[in-house]
Amino acid sequence: MKKSALIVDDEIGLREVLTELLHIWDFEVIEAESGEQALECVANTEETFDLIFIDVNLPGLSGRELFEHLQPDFPQASYILMSGFDREQNAAELPESEDYIYLKKPFRVGELKDLIDRLLTQ
């Protein structure tokens, strides 16, 4: 059975690269460019996600708000919150929960692969 991932980022280039990498690593991928679109996507799918990537600084529904909406419905997923800013710079925008990994953009492919492998073997 293929693994599945949800990618939520308003940067189309990043979504495309992440999607391509995850396809290479045998993931089914659903993409959304906003928190609102992500909620529509998950409402219309039977998918249970292994990984959920969320940009912290989304327009409209914030990354934090999206995480707080999705986490109760997908508690088994590993959440990766991403931003071009350091974690300390985003502290006010991050969920109080520690049930996520913070990934600073840009990141290297090897760093991402290692992170995914580690999350999926926990």
Side-chain angles (χ1 to χ4, degrees):
M1 187 159 149
K2 275 194 170 191
K3 299 171 290 291
S4 63
L6 172 65
I7 301 169
V8 188
D9 199 303
D10 59 322
E11 295 177 42
I12 189 168
L14 180 65
R15 282 197 323 270
E16 289 174 347
V17 169
L18 266 177
T19 296
E20 184 63 31
L21 288 170
L22 290 168
H23 281 155
I24 290 168
W25 298 330
D26 206 28
F27 278 82
E28 294 287 340
V29 178
I30 294 176
E31 295 179 47
E33 65 181 346
S34 68
E36 293 84 0
Q37 186 182 40
L39 292 177
E40 288 176 23
C41 289
V42 300
N44 295 317
T45 185
E46 298 293 317
E47 200 68 61
T48 58
F49 298 101
D50 297 290
L51 299 174
I52 298 178
F53 294 85
I54 302 173
D55 181 21
V56 172
N57 301 324
L58 290 169
L61 189 70
S62 72
R64 176 188 183 147
E65 292 167 321
L66 180 60
F67 171 84
E68 291 168 351
H69 273 86
L70 294 176
Q71 214 276 331
D73 293 332
F74 301 97
Q76 78 292 343
S78 293
Y79 290 82
I80 301 168
L81 273 61
M82 308 174 293
S83 175
F85 297 103
D86 290 328
R87 185 184 186 111
E88 296 75 32
Q89 292 173 286
N90 268 326
E93 302 300 321
L94 296 173
E96 292 179 21
S97 163
E98 291 295 322
D99 295 338
Y100 64 88
I101 300 294
Y102 188 84
L103 183 61
K104 186 173 184 310
K105 300 187 258 182
F107 43 83
R108 292 185 303 277
V109 172
E111 177 185 8
L112 179 63
K113 179 70 168 128
D114 290 346
L115 173 62
I116 290 170
D117 289 346
R118 196 173 58 232
L119 289 171
L120 295 179
T121 57
Q122 289 182 352

